[in-house]
Amino acid sequence: MNEMTTIKTTLKDWESDQEVRWCPGCGDYAILKAVQRTLPELGADPAKTVFVSGIGCSSRFPYYMASYGFHTIHGRAPAVATGIKLANPELDLWLVTGDGDGMSIGGNHTMHFLRRNINCQIMLFNNEIYGLTKGQYSPTSRLGTPSPTTPLGSVDRPLQPGAFALGAGAPFVARAYDTSKNLTDVLKAAHAHQGAAFVEIFQNCIVYNKDRFADFTEKAVADQGQLWLKNGEPMLFGSVKSGGFKGIALDTEKLALKVVDVAVGEDGKPDWQAAGVLVHDVTNRGVAHMLVELPMGPFPVALGVIYDDPRPTYEGAMLAQDEQARAGKTADLAKLFAKGQTWSVAEEDQGPLSGV
């Protein structure tokens, strides 16, 4: 996205006149409010902002934003978003999708959108279930998940959206969860990134997959279950009250990450250097891959900005190429039509139509 002129708005300026219709208690409400709180802080202009969605509970999002929006078809939001950005690269583009919409039928579209690096904030609501179609298991459902289509429990190995995004070449990957106070900071970081910014948001489906993420979001386990990453800071989690500080270090024998205990020094602060705790570097793609695939339980869930390494955007390259092709040329439609294999038919050679 090119440099935008900021304006002053409030949360109310981003609320549409549509009744918000999700199940009571759905995590989508929290995400909607987080976005509506974030946009005024960015100085965003509703007249230059577009939300694009596919199909699913999350895809109702554009109706609830007082901006431009497209509710497209299943899995094809990235294709529509690409067209929008090429037609008007000045627009602030947000893509809203879910684990079913974006990772199943729309997986190929999401992949190409990321590898092309369209300048857009992609929010993938991951509730690990198909909510709108009544609770079937989704590509991200965990092993053993019971559902109408897996009554004895899912045997599919779940897809990791963060790993998918990195594998597709996304230059920005982040994670948060619906009710987190840090969600707005993650959205701001995604917006600041010039390129395809992929944000996976763990979202509680109150009806079909209730409390799926309670094992790391509940207050009692949050300290030990969440690893909030900040560039240039050690990968620390835990606290004295919750059982002590821990950190993420590199197992040099296995070339894998491991959890280490971190002692508290005389100054009362965790001595992370003595424990060999890694310092987070958002440009390290290899470590980013390991972080998004950490198994829950033995490891905390990596949250925040996991990877951020900008590169030229697709629309920027396309527009530069177009400008180069136009340089020194005058538009001449007649000349274009006459170019190549063309011929003329003289009037005297035109006989009556036959066989009509």
Side-chain angles (χ1 to χ4, degrees), residues 310-333:
R311 66 173 190 268
T313 64
Y314 179 76
E315 66 273 15
M318 285 290 290
L319 292 171
Q321 191 178 67
D322 183 63
E323 187 176 344
Q324 183 182 10
R326 291 169 181 265
K329 298 177 183 178
T330 303
D332 189 335
L333 188 60

Side-chain angles (χ1 to χ4, degrees), residues 27 42 71 87 114 145 195 206 223-224 236 253 351:
L42 296 173
H71 188 177
L114 294 172
T145 297
I206 196 73
D223 264 357
Q224 296 291 332
L236 283 172
E253 291 184 5

Side-chain angles (χ1 to χ4, degrees), residues 144-147 149-155:
T145 297
S147 79
T149 46
T150 54
L152 300 181
S154 172
V155 296

Side-chain angles (χ1 to χ4, degrees), residues 18 27 41 62 73 83 111 127 145 151 183 245 247 270 272 307:
Q18 299 298 300
E41 296 180 27
I73 58 178
M111 174 183 70
N127 56 20
T145 297
L183 177 55
F245 287 101
W272 58 270
Y307 183 67

